[in-house]
Amino acid sequence: MTTVGSYLATRLAQIGIERHFVVPGDYNLLLLDKLQEHPGLDEINCTNELNCSMAAEGYARAKGVAACVVTYSVGAFSAFNGIGSAYGENLPVILISGCPNTNDAGDFNLLHHTIGTHDFEYQLEMAKKITVAAVSIRRAADAPHLIDSTIRKAILTNKPVYIEIPTNLANQPCVLPGPESVILDSVESDPPSLKEAVHQAARFLSQKLKVTILVGPKVRSAKAEDAVVQLADALGCAVVVMPNAKSFFPETHPQYAGVYWGLASTMGAQAIVDWSDAVICIGTVFTDYSTVGWTALPAESVRLTADVDQVQFAGTDCSRVYLAEFLSGLSLQVKKNPATMVQYKRLTPPEPIVTPSPAKDKLSRKEMARQISSLITPKTTVFAETGDSWFNGIQMNLPEGARFEIEMQWGHIGWSIPASFGYAVGRPQSQVLTMVGDGSFQMTAQEVSQLTRLRIPMIIFLLNNIGYTIEVEIHDGIYNNIKNWDYAAFVESFNAKDGQGRGYRATTAGELHAAIESAKKNRNGPSLIECVIDRDDCTKELISWGHFVAAANGRAPKH
Ligand SMILES: C/C(NCc1cnc(C)nc1N)=C(/S)[C@H](O)COP(=O)(O)OP(=O)(O)O
Ligand SMILES: [Mg+2]
């Protein structure tokens, strides 16, 4: 026999979680003890539950799955925000919340950390709306089945789930976990459906002259990145990526043709998609943001959509066809069709050389982006926060192995600090560079203290343009002005007596260069470099993107 808490701990470790993120509370303390007892789990404290859930979201980007443990209501309500992000970003995060003693409802007790009624179901009901499975364990005997079935749903769908464990159940006895295959066994495509999808897709493409592959964000969660390269090699065509799929196809591949993001695309990417008579949309997600206010969406007639478990295009719709299997099968049936790659090379001039600014020059956004770009190595993971950081990051070239993380679907400003912290915990061998605006940083800045506590040598570039510049470009108002902070002093305040965090302020090109050289040497803690630039010194892409998103937001009511 084991206990409910230890059963859960075993399952979390079996799915590959080595570190779980927590904020303690009296409803989850016994559970935290049980998780801590497991030799394969390390507890990581967070400063609040919003950051805890975002750290788990970031950890899932690094490790494929994550767990965060919070207390009832006052904790879980904040954590819901990170769960929304995990849902939108296709990340299997397991939200675990303590909850009231199983006797309290029947005893008509009123309890702390509740809305002050006898209803203790509301949190579970809320969780059902933002997860693919939400369960409340009311009896120890039910724990094994509820835990197994809920965790399996997260693994199969790459979406978050919710498990609620009463404060008096974590140490109650239950049976030992069965084989891990119960939760880990993979699912295969339906063979006839897969065969039909591959055959019809090969036929569709054989009738096309100008084929392009468009890679979307779901290729990661579908574990299909290698299969995309296989298909690209077989076709020889141009391959472009959506902004939230940057780095999910190697930018050093000879057929890489850049980021397709309408007017915010990198050189030549939009033209080659517009020129194509077939666009193989792999794991793509078309939203108002990713299509620049619906101005950059390949026509339905040219789209062959290959999704996580479905293939759809003119006259064909095949279900239970898993992406990696479909792409590999298709790569064996298609013929070379390099027309779009040939054309892309005609269209695209060589990369413009950005000359370094003289050291004494006032720091510009362009010089800041140039110096950050030059730091990227194969071991780097760049986190680009919602803001002009998106547009700066999209333009940066990545060497083989470098990764790029962006939260374009949920777009919660402040995500990058806790998420990059969680990512760094999951992938300590990566050098994480985070680009975050001043407005975003102010939302979740406390989590830098955990970077100091764990001595994580992350470099944070804080883009200080004294306001919410994205919003300025969409629609300006006094509400876009924010209070300035002394960011360098703020970060160093977390050191107290023993921390090694460092803060720098760069107002010129030379100061930024010097700060970067110092930050590179600081291997015992985070280094934040405040890059002071003009409020209007933003990318031209942000200006155009903001214009079209504002237009999409401003459409008159139809009825
Ligand atoms: C206020 C808001 N979005 C609205 C918003 C408000 N609240 C949350 C949680 N998430 C959001 N996206 C956004 S994008 C700001 O421009 C971000 O400002 P900052 O971090 O300073 O970056 P830029 O200056 O480069 O835009
Ligand atoms: Mg700003």
Side-chain angles (χ1 to χ4, degrees):
M1 293 291 271
T2 183
T3 64
V4 170
S6 303
Y7 188 103
L8 176 62
T10 301
R11 288 310 199 199
L12 294 181
Q14 285 175 336
I15 60 176
I17 292 173
E18 295 164 342
R19 312 183 93 174
H20 56 290
F21 297 88
V22 312
V23 176
D26 64 330
Y27 286 117
N28 69 19
L29 299 175
L30 291 183
L31 174 60
L32 293 182
D33 290 343
K34 291 297 169 196
L35 297 180
Q36 256 179 12
E37 282 168 15
H38 192 287
L41 290 181
D42 254 349
E43 175 183 281
I44 302 287
N45 275 75
C46 298
T47 43
N48 63 49
E49 288 84 352
L50 166 63
N51 290 353
C52 186
S53 61
M54 291 293 188
E57 197 260 24
Y59 185 89
R61 290 168 185 263
K63 298 282 282 180
V65 66
C68 53
V69 189
V70 297
T71 195
Y72 191 65
S73 281
V74 294
F77 277 35
S78 298
F80 280 165
N81 213 321
I83 297 307
S85 184
Y87 202 110
E89 304 288 333
N90 297 294
L91 295 162
V93 172
I94 301 161
L95 174 59
I96 301 153
S97 176
C99 71
N101 180 300
T102 52
N103 303 305
D104 281 316
D107 294 346
F108 292 96
N109 291 339
L110 288 177
L111 296 178
H112 71 288
H113 289 348
T114 70
I115 54 175
T117 69
H118 294 113
D119 171 11
F120 300 148
E121 304 288 320
Y122 60 85
Q123 181 166 308
L124 176 65
E125 290 310 306
M126 291 163 75
K128 286 177 183 171
K129 297 301 280 181
I130 56 169
T131 61
V132 290
V135 294
S136 181
I137 299 174
R138 312 309 300 162
R139 294 185 314 166
D142 300 331
H145 174 66
L146 289 177
I147 289 172
D148 286 0
S149 56
T150 305
I151 290 180
R152 178 152 176 79
K153 282 228 179 76
I155 300 290
L156 290 183
T157 60
N158 288 296
K159 294 286 186 186
V161 294
Y162 172 77
I163 299 174
E164 194 175 87
I165 298 183
T167 178
N168 62 332
L169 231 53
N171 59 355
Q172 291 303 302
C174 75
V175 299
L176 280 165
E180 62 184 33
S181 53
V182 160
I183 44 177
L184 282 173
D185 247 11
S186 60
V187 285
E188 262 80 53
S189 302
D190 168 64
S193 192
L194 174 61
K195 192 161 169 255
E196 175 67 3
V198 167
H199 171 69
Q200 293 300 346
R203 203 162 140 260
F204 172 81
L205 294 173
S206 66
Q207 295 153 2
K208 303 295 180 184
L209 300 173
K210 304 175 286 185
V211 177
T212 292
I213 289 175
L214 174 58
V215 182
K218 291 194 267 187
V219 293
R220 171 177 38 196
S221 50
K223 299 179 183 53
E225 293 182 41
D226 292 345
V228 174
V229 173
Q230 213 183 331
L231 180 62
D233 291 345
L235 279 167
C237 64
V239 181
V240 291
V241 300
M242 298 191 79
N244 42 359
K246 184 174 168 74
S247 82
F248 294 0
F249 182 85
E251 298 192 0
T252 47
H253 190 287
Q255 293 159 234
Y256 177 67
V259 177
Y260 172 67
W261 194 11
L263 281 160
S265 299
T266 54
M267 193 91 75
Q270 175 167 17
I272 209 59
V273 170
D274 293 346
W275 190 71
S276 304
D277 62 359
V279 180
I280 307 172
C281 299
I282 304 175
T284 45
V285 180
F286 296 118
T287 69
D288 53 345
Y289 271 22
S290 66
T291 65
V292 193
W294 310 109
T295 61
L297 176 59
E300 177 107 33
S301 58
V302 303
R303 292 200 311 250
L304 185 162
T305 301
D307 207 340
V308 176
D309 60 358
Q310 185 182 11
V311 175
Q312 275 178 309
F313 55 97
T316 300
D317 191 329
C318 297
S319 305
R320 273 189 58 204
V321 175
Y322 288 96
L323 191 54
E325 290 175 309
F326 168 69
L327 298 174
S328 300
L330 184 58
S331 67
L332 302 174
Q333 297 218 3
V334 292
K335 299 227 176 350
K336 280 274 185 227
N337 186 338
T340 50
M341 201 55 218
V342 172
Q343 180 69 350
Y344 173 74
K345 286 186 180 137
R346 286 192 196 110
L347 294 175
T348 314
E351 280 274 319
I353 311 284
V354 183
T355 41
S357 301
K360 290 208 176 338
D361 272 17
K362 193 168 169 307
L363 184 58
S364 70
R365 181 209 59 78
K366 214 170 175 179
E367 174 62 11
M368 175 199 74
R370 187 195 68 80
Q371 291 199 31
I372 296 172
S373 221
S374 65
L375 277 179
I376 301 174
T377 73
K379 283 188 168 302
T380 302
T381 297
V382 176
F383 269 73
E385 177 66 78
T386 303
D388 204 23
S389 302
W390 273 358
F391 301 90
N392 287 315
I394 288 298
Q395 299 292 332
M396 293 180 181
N397 297 321
L398 302 178
E400 178 87 36
R403 298 291 289 188
F404 186 81
E405 297 291 350
I406 188 172
E407 187 211 28
M408 178 162 276
Q409 181 57 43
W410 191 245
H412 181 300
I413 61 169
W415 153 88
S416 64
I417 294 300
S420 56
F421 158 58
Y423 184 98
V425 163
R427 199 172 282 180
Q429 69 278 22
S430 290
Q431 168 59 56
V432 177
L433 299 182
T434 297
M435 297 191 293
V436 56
D438 48 339
S440 301
F441 184 75
Q442 292 191 5
M443 285 247 178
T444 56
Q446 313 92 318
E447 226 52 30
V448 175
S449 65
Q450 304 302 349
L451 293 169
T452 304
R453 180 182 193 174
L454 296 180
R455 299 183 180 286
I456 295 176
M458 182 184 295
I459 303 180
I460 299 166
F461 290 94
L462 188 139
L463 200 160
N464 188 353
N465 51 20
I466 310 279
Y468 296 137
T469 297
I470 272 202
E471 303 308 335
V472 168
E473 301 310 330
I474 293 178
H475 173 87
D476 203 2
I478 50 164
Y479 33 73
N480 289 330
N481 304 330
I482 60 177
K483 168 77 183 69
N484 201 19
W485 290 2
D486 181 342
Y487 294 100
F490 175 77
V491 161
E492 295 203 358
S493 73
F494 292 133
N495 292 335
K497 285 194 291 301
D498 62 351
Q500 298 293 320
R502 293 285 171 268
Y504 305 92
R505 187 165 191 272
T507 60
T508 66
E511 286 172 1
L512 178 56
H513 178 74
I516 287 175
E517 290 312 304
S518 306
K520 285 183 344 188
K521 293 187 193 104
N522 181 14
R523 307 308 300 157
N524 295 310
S527 297
L528 177 137
I529 304 174
E530 176 193 352
C531 303
V532 180
I533 63 169
D534 275 353
R535 182 182 174 90
D536 289 325
D537 184 3
C538 65
T539 57
K540 61 183 179 341
E541 290 79 10
L542 168 54
I543 294 169
S544 309
W545 177 88
H547 169 79
F548 285 103
V549 165
N553 284 345
R555 286 162 299 153
K558 284 195 182 116
H559 316 293

